[in-house]
Amino acid sequence: MATGRTHRPATRSRGIPEATVARLPLYLRALTALSERSVPTVSSEELAAAAGVNSAKLRKDFSYLGSYGTRGVGYDVEYLVYQISRELGLTQDWPVVIVGIGNLGAALAGYGGFASRGFRVAALIDADPAMTGKPVAGIPVQHSDDLEKIIEEDGVSIGVIATPAGVAQQVCDRLVAAGVTSILNFAPTVLSVPDGVDVRKVDLSIELQILAFHEQRKAGEESGADTGTDTGSEAGSAAAAVPPAPRGATGGSRKGPDGDVPAVMPA
């Protein structure tokens, strides 16, 4: 089986837009569920509904893959699973290192979705000497002093950072210097990386704050409806649209040098 160091996905060279690439995992998740139920074909409308997009966008996305379906029949589920998996680079083995084996890192180490989607946890790394040799999810933790050696020996090109924010940039710099070219960052900070290195950021606190905003807005709309208040007025709209800052929350926008905050990994 090929390793992550010998081949890179062809999506960029084929001119597939980044927005389409971001939706491909959603289609794959929906298609995998259909495949597990032995569903042979699916219409664009059914698949779009399962993936949470509109059918016109789905058909446009699939046109970049050269897949147009069959009129009156739809799309072949198994073929689409293969086609999207190949486009995402999931038909090969991608060794991954997880750095920072606290509660979150340990949970990620035990996440079954990695192996089922073509990602092999090659090593767990932590700076705490007391963690060295301790098995987590069946994998012994290795000390951070050996980070560069581990990356070289296992041909790692993807690193996961689950450290505290204060050391995340230092860990990132070491990963990049050792040859890692893709990073999934769970630390609550924005990382600076050179050109050619891709970073995806997962910040659970930001996602929760966004949900809190929507909950507050819904509560304000319900309150306005109950009291007969004109929530369409300028004052009502402003009050509903600007929530107070949560206690202890830090600032930050949804965008940064490392891109948009992606959705939390599917179960």
Side-chain angles (χ1 to χ4, degrees):
M1 179 178 288
T3 65
R5 274 297 179 82
T6 59
H7 177 71
R8 301 285 290 179
T11 53
R12 291 181 180 176
S13 62
R14 289 179 54 166
I16 299 179
E18 287 295 329
T20 295
V21 174
R23 287 189 290 269
L24 292 181
L26 304 180
Y27 300 140
L28 182 59
R29 180 173 60 184
L31 286 163
T32 300
L34 292 171
S35 176
E36 290 172 350
R37 303 202 319 261
S38 300
V39 176
T41 60
V42 62
S43 69
S44 58
E45 290 78 11
E46 292 169 333
L47 182 55
V53 303
N54 66 63
S55 57
K57 184 174 292 184
L58 177 143
R59 288 191 292 269
K60 180 67 173 177
D61 288 342
F62 284 0
S63 72
Y64 291 110
L65 307 181
S67 184
Y68 298 93
T70 304
R71 184 177 297 275
V73 177
Y75 294 94
D76 183 286
V77 170
E78 291 298 332
Y79 179 67
L80 266 185
V81 167
Y82 165 75
Q83 196 174 22
I84 294 176
S85 296
R86 182 188 62 185
E87 207 62 54
L88 289 173
L90 304 183
T91 55
Q92 56 194 301
D93 175 50
W94 293 100
V96 176
V97 295
I98 301 176
V99 184
I101 313 303
N103 291 334
L104 177 57
L108 292 171
Y111 174 58
F114 282 140
S116 66
R117 290 168 173 82
F119 301 95
R120 173 175 58 86
V121 179
L124 305 178
I125 300 171
D126 198 275
D128 183 359
M131 292 289 294
T132 302
K134 179 180 178 181
V136 175
I139 304 172
V141 176
Q142 301 182 64
H143 194 269
S144 58
D145 286 348
D146 298 323
L147 176 63
E148 289 78 7
K149 177 183 177 183
I150 292 166
I151 290 172
E152 180 180 1
E153 290 181 348
D154 287 293
V156 175
S157 58
I158 300 177
V160 178
I161 296 178
T163 66
V167 297
Q169 184 63 57
Q170 179 185 351
V171 169
C172 175
D173 292 342
R174 289 183 63 188
L175 288 172
V176 171
V180 168
T181 52
S182 293
I183 294 173
L184 182 61
N185 177 32
F186 283 88
T189 187
V190 174
L191 299 176
S192 176
V193 296
D195 291 340
V197 176
D198 295 311
V199 177
R200 298 294 294 177
K201 180 173 175 58
V202 182
D203 193 321
L204 302 182
S205 66
I206 287 179
E207 299 299 330
L208 286 171
Q209 289 174 48
I210 293 169
L211 289 176
F213 162 76
H214 290 297
E215 284 300 311
Q216 178 171 265
R217 185 172 61 177
K218 285 184 287 187
E221 291 172 351
E222 292 172 359
S223 175
D226 292 341
T227 61
T229 301
D230 181 7
T231 55
S233 67
E234 182 177 348
S237 296
V242 184
R247 184 180 304 170
T250 58
S253 67
R254 289 276 292 165
K255 287 183 177 291
D258 51 353
D260 294 334
V261 177
V264 177
M265 288 183 290

